[in-house]
Amino acid sequence: MTTHPAGSLLAAHELRKAYGPTTALDGAEFSIHPGEVVAVMGPSGSGKSTLLHCLAGIVPPDSGSITYNGQEMATMSDAQRSALRRSEFGFVFQFGQLVPELTCVENVALPLRLNGTHRKEAERTALNWMQRLEVDDLAKKRPGEVSGGQGQRVAVARSLVTSPRVLFADEPTGALDSLNGERVMELLTEAARSTNAAVVLVTHEARVAAYSDREIVVRDGKSRDMERIV
Amino acid sequence: MNSRQWAADLAMGVRFAFGGGREGWVRAVLTAVGVGLGVALLLLTTALPNALSERDARGNARMDFTYSGKQLAKADNTVIVADTDTTFRSKDVRGRLLEPEGTKAPLPPGLAKFPSVGDMVVSPALEKLLKSDSGKLLRARLPYRITGTIGQTGLIGPAELAYYSGGKGLEARQSGGSVERINYYGPSAGSTPDELDPVLLLLILIVFIVLLLPVAVFIAAAVRFGGERRDRRLAALRLVGADGRMARRIAGGEALAGALLGLVFGTGFFLAGRQLASLIDVRDISLYPSDLNPSPALALLVAVAVPAAAVLVTLLALRGVVIEPLGVVRKAKPPRRRLWWRLLLPLAGLAMLYPMTGKGDSNGNFNQWLVIGGTVLLLVGVTALLPWVVEATVARLNSGSVSWQLAVRRLQLSSGTAARMVNGIAVAVAGAIALQMLFSGVQGNYTKPTGNDLRRAQMEVSIGGGTSLAEADRKLAGTKGVRATSAISQTTIGERAKNPDDVAEVAVGSCAQLRAVAHLTACRNGDVFRITGGADPEATTKTEQLARAGRTVYFDPSYDEMPSAPATWKMPAGVKTATHREDPTGYARDGLLITSGALPASAVKGLDQKVFVSLDQSVPDASDHVRNTVATMDPLADVFTLASNDVTPQFRSIRTGLFVGATCVLLLIGASLLVSQLEQLRERKKLLSALVAFGTRRRTLSLSVLWQTAIPIGLGLVLATVVGLTLGAVLLKMSATAIRIDWASVLAMSGIGAGVVLAVTLLSLPPLLRMMRPDGLRTE
Amino acid sequence: MSIGHTLLGLLESGPRHGYDLKRAFDEKFGHDRPLHYGQVYSTMSRLLKNGLVEVDGIEAGGGPERKRYAITDAGITDVQQWLATPEKPEPYLQSALYTKVVLALLTHRNAAEILDVQRSEHLRSMRILTDRKRKGDLADQLICDHALFHLEADLRWLELTAARLDKLAEVVAK
């Protein structure tokens, strides 16, 4: 039995994860190719976010395997997985992710700096990405001084600044109105395609999921890959 | 807006203060403990003058020696008292022998009747000591039967060791200082009460300020505990219709609750501390709990002022804040902090203290209010300057690692909060540094080297009345712990029997004994020597005149009206010369040396017999064994312990007390730091999880928490050191003492301050690590 | 959509040739289905007959497409009335999907499967619309959005039904 589709960048097989008595994942499957945008859908509490956290190496699954680029993540130490997240992955969340004390450009530069890039260089790269996301004029402002949509674009810029190979987005438009949400999605998917990054997009909104290439539905901790059914 | 509305709003705030679940309680209790400690200290401050004056009053009421130089005639209302004070293991024991001479003889305070000979009435503390194992040695010295206890009116403190025993034949032993006939107790006419040593007064004032101020700062910080959570609560209240003023009043009510609970705690602490007061024995000073009565007016003032201050601080803190239904908005950009008025405070303090420099000399008096005002202003200056220093410094900090950047940026946004948190520590450290400096400086004053040559002898025993020197010497030499003894008899001669103009010292002894006090070339029993070459040429000349062959001299001449019967002596011919040398006490004598064979028999009675005792320091309680031996020979004998330094132990205990007090204050502040730190972290739970998600090392975040506390504390400690050293230097100048910086204590206090930061950071790490777990990302 | 009213509305800004009308219509509204010229001709003759438009002029060269039409006062009133009358909301009470789900349950087929496949199909359409929106202009975007919101509504219904399949099965089984 082949566990993972050939050529996939990130793949999971038979993932199980429980938080106390609550089963979040119960044999979930997942795979994604470079440059692909995959939507993870499902009702609230179905285990979407847990699947994303497991795939990103934030939470270790109770059982099952996750391979990134052919490497088994289960055997990695926490420090190794942290390093992987710093250099290979990017993250966008619904909210609570910009450091309120840092200016926007400092926020965007943060992942680079965590990787050891020199401050000046990091901020130069950060400004580049902010231009691409049309928020370069906010560089010197603090997150408290910008609107939700602008803040989310800053967050997207930050998630892309390390040129990650996988971008994890958990309800990235959840706190935005549809106009701002769509603009963020457009910029995000465009930027990801241009760098050939894979995007794991957790959302419960169909219109956001419509920016994906295909979707996976998570229900009761089990995942269904709709592509293969149709 | 009427008073009922006010009361209702405050009451609602009070309810909120305790209604926040476990966390609410912890916050309320912590606030209350802080306020309580402050209240207890305040009550103690208001009670202390009372207690000291009570103590002084009792001390005056039992004064027995008049030192008037006059002698009373024996009468129905006279009593002869003899001072038999002794020392037991560095603790003083007040001892009196009483010999009533008639039915109307006055009883000393605290006694129901005169003890008979062989009986004694003791203080409770002495009784306890005598009955304990550790008191066995003292029991041997006081072989009297215990027949009663001295009442509180006869003791200055509960820990005082004192006894009264019956005396016999004391009339013959009367002298100016230690045996006297009296007919009343109390201060003698014309004597002025002892003023408190101004330097000591200064010390006490400063100790209280230094301990009180950080507590005040802490109270101010404590009532702001839980600020963020409170803000959310207030916003919710606004949402359901409370107006801005109401919300403020409700916040005031929350602070009031903590302060009221603090009053209760404080009263409890004070009452408990009052009971402990009887156990505390600092510098032989102990206080009766019943003496520690705050004056009602001051206590009332504390009870009103503390809650009022708590409410006021809260209202002031909310001044720059707009409470909106959807959240609390801080005024966008607080005005930049100005330096000038902040500098004015410490400068004004210095200006108040400066005129008093040098007043500690020659019993000058300090203006207490200027001292308090100046010190308070200087120390409060720390709390005023620190926010400015933090803001100005942090604004200039920049590049650095990510953890540094996170911390610095956070401080830049809210330098006020950070400064407020460390204010208490800074004030405590500044005050403690100043106090330590003052202590070690003043201590240097009080502990001058005495010049005794301790290599030769550590004790000096004066034997009077009947006991022969040879016997005393023999007995002391055979006492446990004594390595060697040397004995010498002393007296004086004068040219007249009464009130002589020319006197010379006389040492009497064997040739061997005399050699210990002067250089003799040849000596046979029967020789008389006069000492030459002393430091005082006049003394040498006088001795030479008195020692002319055939001249009549009088042994032990008397002064004023003291009774004596000086023996007359005609100077023999052939007085030899001797050169002076230092005796075991470091004293180089002048005058005559008379071998025992040459001394007329009539002069023996007036001899002052001294034995110098050299102790084997390895034997425990050696000096107490010596005292015991002396007591069996003559209870009235004087025993001096020769020391190279005087007075150290008392100061050491005050310093230790201060150190402990300062540490407690710092720990309390540390606890409050921890609470606000955790509160901040909880606020940022989601952010922390997000940061960890994109790969931030835990070390980076932990370090940033450390920096966030360490930067303001580091600045606070630097400022505290500067202000503390300044204050210390001014205080030393005031007490006319050479300025000497005690770097060890500066380091110790700063070290404790730094330790508090480290402890706070370490203690906030486990919750931090827990919060950094990805669970924080779950939104469901 | 009433083509007659739409063409009348286009005429309000000024007289146009028939061919012009077709071009304007296609440009603004005919993204999916361009008008046949014949449709324009038949509509215009109906409007002419009802007195809502008049022929403003005929250009040389003959042929029906050379006629220039202008709107009459009665035409303007008619457009006004049409715009003022709200469209009746589509009740969608009889949905093919619902029928399918109930039939699947009655015949003990896998209803969830039907819903999932349908959802996938809906999403596929939405992807195409989203893609087109991304490449198109504002008009494209608005039109696609209209469709997207409808599809999303269907999807929500699918979601909800999927969550309530068990209950529905009980009701249907009675």
Side-chain angles (χ1 to χ4, degrees):
Chain A
M1 177 180 162
T2 55
T3 50
H4 302 302
S8 63
L9 178 62
L10 179 64
H13 177 58
E14 279 288 313
L15 281 190
R16 276 170 225 284
K17 174 81 190 172
Y19 291 109
T22 330
T23 306
L25 290 180
D26 186 16
E29 305 280 327
F30 185 87
S31 76
I32 192 168
H33 289 74
E36 198 180 15
V37 180
V38 175
V40 179
M41 302 188 69
S44 350
S46 61
K48 307 187 292 281
S49 287
T50 307
L51 177 61
L52 179 135
H53 294 160
C54 283
L55 290 173
I58 300 171
V59 180
D62 294 341
S63 69
S65 87
I66 303 167
T67 51
Y68 168 71
N69 222 3
Q71 263 183 297
E72 178 57 53
M73 297 232 294
T75 59
M76 290 187 195
S77 70
D78 182 62
Q80 283 174 310
R81 279 184 280 126
S82 290
L84 197 64
R85 294 202 297 274
R86 277 200 301 279
S87 51
E88 308 277 295
F89 297 167
F91 294 90
V92 189
F93 299 110
Q94 186 173 352
F95 38 53
Q97 42 178 345
L98 293 179
V99 184
E101 294 88 25
L102 299 185
T103 61
C104 285
V105 71
E106 281 169 345
N107 261 298
V108 176
L110 199 56
L112 286 173
R113 299 212 54 212
L114 289 171
N115 268 336
T117 310
H118 194 266
R119 181 185 174 128
K120 285 235 170 69
E121 197 190 322
E123 286 182 12
R124 205 166 34 240
T125 315
L127 208 59
N128 257 328
W129 276 101
M130 289 180 81
Q131 259 162 10
R132 287 181 67 168
L133 286 147
E134 300 159 5
V135 282
D136 48 319
D137 50 327
L138 305 175
K140 291 283 169 226
K141 293 213 156 129
R142 291 185 203 278
E145 299 168 304
V146 305
S147 74
Q150 290 170 326
Q152 206 61 11
R153 284 194 219 177
V154 172
V156 172
R158 185 175 67 177
S159 68
L160 291 164
V161 77
T162 52
S163 306
R165 301 200 51 201
V166 186
L167 184 62
F168 293 93
D170 192 353
E171 302 284 7
T173 63
L176 303 178
D177 59 63
S178 31
L179 205 62
N180 267 306
E182 282 180 23
R183 187 71 190 131
V184 165
M185 279 316 296
E186 248 166 60
L187 293 167
L188 189 152
T189 45
E190 230 166 65
R193 287 208 169 89
S194 73
T195 55
N196 203 30
V199 179
V200 180
L201 173 66
V202 167
T203 182
H204 69 276
E205 283 182 84
R207 277 182 306 111
V208 173
Y211 284 89
S212 65
D213 299 319
R214 66 187 166 90
E215 81 274 11
I216 276 179
V217 177
V218 181
R219 193 168 284 142
D220 300 327
K222 294 181 175 66
S223 63
R224 301 195 63 190
D225 193 332
M226 301 316 292
E227 194 82 338
R228 292 195 223 163
I229 293 168
V230 175
Chain B
M1 173 177 48
N2 55 32
S3 55
R4 270 188 57 199
Q5 185 61 46
W6 258 87
D9 292 342
L10 288 179
M12 180 177 267
V14 172
R15 273 205 302 283
F16 278 129
F18 299 113
R22 193 172 67 120
E23 203 173 331
W25 270 102
V26 167
R27 193 186 59 230
V29 167
L30 211 58
T31 312
V33 168
V35 174
L37 284 179
V39 167
L41 211 50
L42 275 173
L43 287 177
L44 185 66
T45 318
T46 62
L48 208 59
N50 221 348
L52 288 177
S53 73
E54 287 287 319
R55 174 193 154 84
D56 278 357
R58 285 199 302 271
N60 278 333
R62 70 175 189 189
M63 279 171 75
D64 37 21
F65 287 92
T66 61
Y67 305 105
S68 64
K70 293 196 181 77
Q71 196 168 25
L72 277 176
K74 178 174 174 173
D76 200 22
N77 65 345
T78 56
V79 58
I80 302 180
V81 286
D83 176 340
T84 53
D85 289 355
T86 185
T87 304
F88 179 64
R89 288 189 185 133
S90 85
K91 276 191 170 294
D92 289 335
V93 181
R94 183 181 195 261
R96 291 289 186 272
L97 300 184
L98 298 172
E99 187 178 354
E101 297 184 298
T103 49
K104 291 184 192 154
L107 263 177
L111 252 63
K113 67 180 184 62
F114 285 106
S116 333
V117 175
D119 289 351
M120 67 174 167
V121 180
V122 295
S123 69
L126 181 60
E127 182 169 16
K128 203 173 143 204
L129 177 64
L130 288 176
K131 285 182 176 162
S132 70
D133 275 356
S134 59
K136 270 186 184 148
L137 206 51
L138 185 60
R139 194 80 185 100
R141 199 181 310 168
L142 307 175
Y144 318 109
R145 193 162 59 97
I146 297 175
T147 56
T149 48
I150 307 174
Q152 187 178 333
T153 50
L155 297 170
I156 52 172
E160 188 182 25
L161 303 173
Y163 70 93
Y164 288 99
S165 181
K168 196 171 61 181
L170 294 177
E171 187 171 15
R173 303 287 301 269
Q174 284 192 80
S175 68
S178 63
V179 184
E180 193 179 345
R181 174 178 284 140
I182 57 169
N183 55 12
Y184 70 96
Y185 297 92
S188 53
S191 78
T192 50
D194 273 355
E195 292 268 342
L196 203 50
D197 180 353
V199 172
L200 207 59
L201 179 74
L202 182 67
L203 276 178
I204 292 173
L205 284 178
I206 304 296
V207 165
F208 272 92
I209 294 172
V210 162
L211 289 182
L212 268 179
L213 259 190
V215 173
V217 174
F218 170 75
I219 291 180
V223 297
R224 297 196 201 192
F225 281 168
E228 317 275 351
R229 199 169 265 255
R230 184 198 61 198
D231 289 354
R232 248 174 291 146
R233 200 161 43 229
L234 293 179
L237 282 171
R238 289 277 281 118
L239 196 61
V240 297
D243 64 27
R245 283 159 186 274
M246 273 171 80
R248 261 155 233 270
R249 285 199 295 273
I250 289 169
E254 290 194 39
L256 183 68
L260 286 178
L261 191 63
L263 272 185
V264 175
F265 274 40
T267 314
F269 289 156
F270 174 70
L271 291 178
R274 205 165 76 144
Q275 294 310 314
L276 287 180
S278 58
L279 302 178
I280 290 165
D281 183 13
V282 180
R283 244 192 133 179
D284 280 336
I285 291 176
S286 58
L287 296 169
Y288 279 108
S290 58
D291 285 352
L292 278 171
N293 276 326
S295 68
L298 286 177
L300 190 70
L301 187 69
V302 170
V304 173
V306 168
V311 174
L312 218 79
V313 166
T314 310
L315 294 183
L316 275 179
L318 287 176
R319 212 181 25 173
V321 161
V322 185
I323 307 169
E324 293 287 351
L326 292 177
V328 168
V329 186
R330 306 205 182 271
K331 294 235 167 91
K333 268 240 161 84
R336 206 176 165 71
R337 296 191 164 83
R338 295 195 184 283
L339 180 59
W340 65 270
W341 69 264
R342 291 164 195 275
L343 265 180
L344 221 53
L345 284 177
L347 288 180
L350 276 182
M352 284 171 85
L353 292 177
Y354 191 74
M356 287 180 286
T357 48
K359 286 279 182 68
D361 238 359
S362 63
N363 273 356
N365 271 320
F366 297 115
N367 180 328
Q368 294 187 26
W369 297 112
L370 279 183
V371 171
I372 294 174
T375 312
V376 167
L377 277 180
L378 249 179
L379 290 182
V380 167
V382 172
T383 67
L385 274 174
L386 192 54
W388 181 85
V389 170
V390 171
E391 185 183 78
T393 313
V394 160
R396 279 171 184 77
L397 292 178
N398 225 329
S399 57
S401 62
V402 177
S403 60
W404 178 264
Q405 188 184 36
L406 283 171
V408 164
R409 285 282 189 263
R410 176 140 184 90
L411 288 174
Q412 281 171 353
L413 264 197
S414 56
S415 66
T417 322
R420 229 176 5 249
M421 290 207 311
V422 301
N423 257 341
I425 289 188
V427 171
V429 169
I433 286 176
L435 251 185
Q436 293 280 16
M437 250 176 104
L438 184 58
F439 266 120
S440 45
V442 170
Q443 178 175 296
N445 265 8
Y446 280 80
T447 56
K448 294 216 172 81
T450 52
N452 289 322
D453 186 349
L454 292 177
R455 280 162 306 174
R456 289 205 260 172
Q458 290 88 35
M459 294 183 93
E460 180 192 316
V461 179
S462 292
I463 305 280
T467 317
S468 82
L469 185 60
E471 191 197 344
D473 191 14
R474 191 171 45 78
K475 280 192 172 168
L476 283 170
T479 301
K480 186 181 173 194
V482 172
R483 189 165 17 191
T485 59
S486 75
I488 191 104
S489 300
Q490 313 187 95
T491 184
T492 51
I493 52 168
E495 93 284 11
R496 271 200 298 271
K498 263 186 193 288
N499 297 330
D501 289 328
D502 296 332
V503 288
E505 292 176 77
V506 176
V508 181
S510 65
C511 284
Q513 286 169 339
L514 292 178
R515 280 184 203 282
V517 299
H519 291 294
L520 309 177
T521 43
C523 176
R524 270 184 306 119
N525 199 9
D527 281 349
V528 177
F529 302 85
R530 80 183 159 81
I531 298 169
T532 61
D536 180 7
E538 203 187 331
T540 311
T541 331
K542 266 186 189 163
T543 309
E544 198 178 349
Q545 284 166 3
L546 284 170
R548 288 211 182 105
R551 181 157 189 184
T552 304
V553 293
Y554 299 83
F555 279 100
D556 198 15
S558 71
Y559 294 84
D560 298 324
E561 283 164 55
M562 297 304 291
S564 75
T568 55
W569 190 42
K570 208 174 258 297
M571 267 295 168
V575 172
K576 298 179 180 172
T577 57
T579 50
H580 85 295
R581 72 170 287 187
E582 285 185 2
D583 72 7
T585 62
Y587 177 61
R589 60 174 56 236
D590 294 305
L592 288 182
L593 301 175
I594 303 176
T595 49
S596 314
L599 191 75
S602 58
V604 169
K605 198 178 95 237
L607 284 182
D608 189 6
Q609 313 191 91
K610 283 189 191 252
V611 182
F612 294 98
V613 180
S614 162
L615 297 176
D616 179 359
Q617 300 287 10
S618 64
V619 176
D621 298 323
S623 61
D624 282 298
H625 287 296
V626 170
R627 286 177 204 276
N628 281 6
T629 306
V630 174
T632 57
M633 291 187 286
D634 176 13
L636 296 181
D638 285 323
V639 181
F640 300 100
T641 303
L642 309 177
S644 59
N645 284 294
D646 286 340
V647 201
T648 22
Q650 295 92 330
F651 271 108
R652 200 178 302 132
S653 61
I654 295 187
R655 285 185 70 172
T656 315
L658 172 73
F659 207 71
V660 171
T663 310
C664 287
V665 168
L666 285 178
L667 282 182
L668 190 66
I669 294 169
S672 76
L673 261 177
L674 185 60
V675 170
S676 37
Q677 181 85 271
L678 290 183
E679 201 163 61
Q680 269 190 27
L681 287 179
R682 203 165 304 119
E683 291 276 300
R684 300 158 72 77
K685 190 173 172 185
K686 225 168 222 152
L687 176 69
L688 289 171
S689 303
L691 284 174
V692 170
F694 65 75
T696 312
R697 291 178 191 87
R698 274 148 218 269
R699 182 164 44 101
T700 306
L701 290 180
S702 309
L703 266 179
S704 110
V705 169
L706 175 69
W707 291 132
Q708 210 179 303
T709 338
I711 293 172
I713 293 255
L715 291 171
L717 288 180
V718 169
L719 184 66
T721 307
V722 171
V723 173
L725 289 179
T726 312
L727 180 59
V730 172
L731 291 176
L732 281 179
K733 267 212 148 2
M734 282 168 62
S735 57
T737 309
I739 292 170
R740 201 170 56 83
I741 294 175
D742 185 0
W743 286 113
S745 60
V746 170
L747 275 181
M749 289 322 297
S750 317
I752 293 176
V756 167
V757 182
L758 210 64
V760 166
T761 310
L762 282 181
L763 284 174
S764 57
L765 277 189
L768 174 69
L769 291 176
R770 206 162 49 240
M771 270 177 245
M772 284 192 295
R773 284 203 297 234
D775 303 24
L777 285 172
R778 297 171 70 193
T779 43
E780 291 91 343
Chain C
M1 178 160 49
S2 162
I3 294 174
H5 284 119
T6 312
L7 292 178
L8 265 180
L10 285 174
L11 278 178
E12 256 204 77
S13 55
R16 288 173 192 264
H17 290 115
Y19 191 70
D20 259 358
L21 273 173
K22 173 190 147 52
R23 263 210 338 243
F25 183 96
D26 285 352
E27 208 171 276
K28 290 200 165 60
F29 312 109
H31 303 273
D32 288 334
R33 284 159 285 169
L35 280 179
H36 288 298
Y37 187 74
Q39 212 173 344
V40 178
Y41 181 74
S42 61
T43 307
M44 289 322 286
S45 37
R46 180 168 52 83
L47 294 174
L48 206 57
K49 200 163 23 175
N50 293 345
L52 298 177
V53 294
E54 53 194 16
V55 175
D56 188 45
I58 301 170
E59 285 188 13
E65 72 281 8
R66 290 292 172 193
K67 274 188 185 142
R68 234 166 79 111
Y69 298 99
I71 193 164
T72 61
D73 285 350
I76 291 173
T77 315
D78 195 56
V79 170
Q80 175 68 28
Q81 262 171 8
W82 176 65
L83 286 178
T85 315
E87 291 292 306
K88 189 172 186 204
E90 199 68 50
Y92 301 114
L93 281 182
Q94 276 303 322
S95 142
L97 260 177
Y98 174 77
T99 318
K100 276 188 178 178
V101 169
V102 171
L103 274 172
L105 287 172
L106 279 173
T107 55
H108 302 291
R109 288 192 172 85
N110 190 347
E113 186 72 31
I114 293 174
L115 289 171
D116 277 348
V117 169
Q118 187 61 51
R119 168 224 286 277
S120 202
E121 193 51 40
H122 263 67
L123 259 180
R124 201 199 308 277
S125 315
M126 285 179 79
R127 272 195 202 102
I128 293 163
L129 285 168
T130 303
D131 199 45
R132 189 166 133 198
K133 194 169 98 177
R134 198 161 24 199
K135 288 165 188 150
D137 58 7
L138 184 62
D140 264 323
Q141 284 171 21
L142 285 173
I143 283 164
C144 290
D145 270 339
H146 189 242
L148 277 168
F149 280 115
H150 276 97
L151 286 170
E152 192 189 15
D154 282 350
L155 263 174
R156 284 197 188 173
W157 181 84
L158 287 170
E159 239 5 293
L160 201 70
T161 312
R164 291 177 171 178
L165 266 183
D166 293 345
K167 273 193 181 152
L168 185 61
E170 278 174 33
V171 176
V172 167
K174 275 183 195 166

